[in-house]
Amino acid sequence: MIWPFKGGARKQIARLEVKGAIAGQTRKHVLKALKTIEEKGYPALLLRIDSPGGTVVDSHEIYSALLKLRDKVKIVASFGNISASGGVYIGMGAEHIMANPGTITGSIGVILRGNNLERLLDKVGVSFKVIKSGPYKDILAFDRELTEPERQILQDLIDSSYSQFVNIVAEGRNLEVETVKQFADGRVFTGQQALELGLVDRVGTEEDARRWAAELVGLDPEKAKCNTIEESKPFWNRLLPGSQQNTLSLPEPVLDWVDFELSTNGLPLWLYRP
C-alpha cells in the first residue's frame, strides 16, 4: 500500500512490541507491522521485546526482516521483563540494544523436548503398532525411549541450530565466536550483566530507549511521539468484545501457552524454560 501522507510519520517513532512466545502468529504480525513502518516512512523503530523466545524459524524470519528494515530505519531494541533465547535472537536485528538493569536475558541455546509415556501406557494396557518407511520416521515417539542413533541425530540437529545462534550473536554484537560461546551455554543473566558481556549497549528504561531512538534520527527527545503499531483484530471482535471470551474461562495467555506447547512439541526451540 502506498501511503499518501508520510509527513506525520517522519516526525514520529514507530513502536512495535513482541510479547509472549514467538510462533507463527507473532511472526505474521511483526512482518506486517515492519512493512507498514517502512511504507509510512517512520525514521526510527522502538522494538520492545518481552519474550522468553520461541520457534527457530519464526524467530529467524523476524530477525531477517529487521535486518532488511535497518537499511531505511534506525532500530533500537528495548528488553523488558524478559528477553531471552529467541528474544535475544530477534534483538540482534536491531542496531542498538537497551536492557533494563533487571531484565532477564541470555539463555542462548536450543532445546528440544519430547514426552515418553511408555510406562504409563504399559500400566493401562495401551500399545501402538507402527508401520514406517525407515528406522527414524517415528523419532521422538511418545510410546518408547529414544535409541542411541536417534539421540545422536537430534543432538546433531541441535548443535547445528546452536551454531547458527552463536554466529548471529557474534556478528550482531561484534564479538568473537569463542567469546560468545563462553556465556552461550543456556544460562540467564540480568540486563546489567548483559551490558558487561557486550550483549547490550546500554541499560535503561523503555523511555530511555525512546529518547535514544529520537536522538539517532535528529528528532527532539522531548517532543518526539511514539506510535505503537497494533495487531489488527477481526471486525466482529472489535464490535463485540464479548466474542473474545473462551468457553473454558481460562485467561487468554494460558490458552496461548498451552497451544504453543502442543503445536511445538518435538520442534527445536530458542526458548527459555525456567
Side-chain angles (χ1 to χ4, degrees):
M1 179 183 296
I2 299 176
W3 299 91
F5 305 107
K6 294 185 178 181
R10 290 195 176 113
K11 297 179 181 179
Q12 296 181 357
I13 299 168
R15 178 184 181 274
L16 178 59
E17 185 172 15
V18 178
K19 188 175 182 180
I22 300 167
Q25 192 60 37
T26 303
R27 172 181 54 79
K28 291 176 184 177
H29 165 55
V30 172
L31 296 187
K32 183 178 179 181
L34 295 181
K35 185 176 181 180
T36 297
I37 290 167
E38 180 180 359
E39 290 177 342
K40 285 193 172 184
Y42 286 98
L45 166 62
L46 174 59
L47 180 68
R48 179 69 170 181
I49 304 174
D50 210 330
S51 169
T55 59
V56 169
V57 172
D58 292 307
S59 299
H60 182 75
E61 291 197 4
I62 292 173
Y63 160 78
S64 297
L66 287 166
L67 275 188
K68 183 178 179 181
L69 184 66
R70 271 170 50 171
D71 293 336
K72 299 180 180 179
V73 178
K74 292 291 184 182
I75 304 176
V76 175
S78 168
F79 288 178
N81 290 301
I82 179 170
S83 182
S85 205
V88 171
Y89 195 99
I90 65 174
M92 294 301 106
E95 292 175 282
H96 311 283
I97 304 176
M98 180 175 285
N100 188 283
T103 294
I104 298 299
T105 187
S107 189
I108 298 172
V110 193
I111 187 171
L112 183 152
R113 298 201 316 177
N115 301 309
N116 183 3
L117 306 180
E118 184 177 7
R119 293 175 62 185
L120 174 62
L121 294 173
D122 284 343
K123 286 185 178 181
V124 298
V126 175
S127 63
F128 294 86
K129 307 302 179 185
V130 179
I131 310 299
K132 53 188 178 180
S133 59
Y136 307 120
K137 188 59 180 176
D138 65 339
I139 197 168
L140 274 181
F142 62 83
D143 60 328
R144 65 175 179 82
E145 186 59 75
L146 277 173
T147 66
E148 282 307 312
E150 288 174 331
R151 190 179 301 277
Q152 187 59 53
I153 288 171
L154 295 176
Q155 187 62 58
D156 290 344
L157 183 151
I158 292 299
D159 291 345
S160 176
S161 185
Y162 170 74
S163 178
Q164 177 185 334
F165 200 156
V166 168
N167 286 329
I168 289 296
V169 173
E171 181 180 348
R173 304 308 301 157
N174 196 26
L175 298 170
E176 295 294 330
V177 169
E178 291 306 315
T179 299
V180 175
K181 285 183 177 179
Q182 291 176 10
F183 59 79
D185 52 9
R187 79 182 79 172
V188 293
F189 22 81
T190 66
Q192 183 62 49
Q193 290 173 317
L195 176 65
E196 295 165 3
L197 292 170
L199 192 59
V200 304
D201 298 298
R202 300 180 184 180
V203 292
T205 65
E206 182 179 359
E207 171 61 14
D208 293 328
R210 183 200 65 79
R211 296 177 66 89
W212 189 10
E215 291 168 356
L216 287 171
V217 293
L219 296 178
D220 185 345
E222 301 295 336
K223 299 179 180 179
K225 295 181 179 179
C226 258
N227 183 20
T228 300
I229 310 299
E230 301 280 4
E231 183 173 8
S232 59
K233 296 180 180 179
F235 173 76
W236 286 111
N237 283 358
R238 285 180 277 138
L239 191 63
L240 302 171
S243 65
Q244 295 178 319
Q245 296 179 354
N246 60 77
T247 56
L248 295 178
S249 298
L250 293 174
E252 189 172 340
V254 174
L255 289 178
D256 287 344
W257 188 258
V258 170
D259 179 66
F260 177 81
E261 287 281 352
L262 292 174
S263 64
T264 60
N265 184 51
L267 288 178
L269 301 174
W270 291 327
L271 183 70
Y272 170 54
R273 293 183 183 271

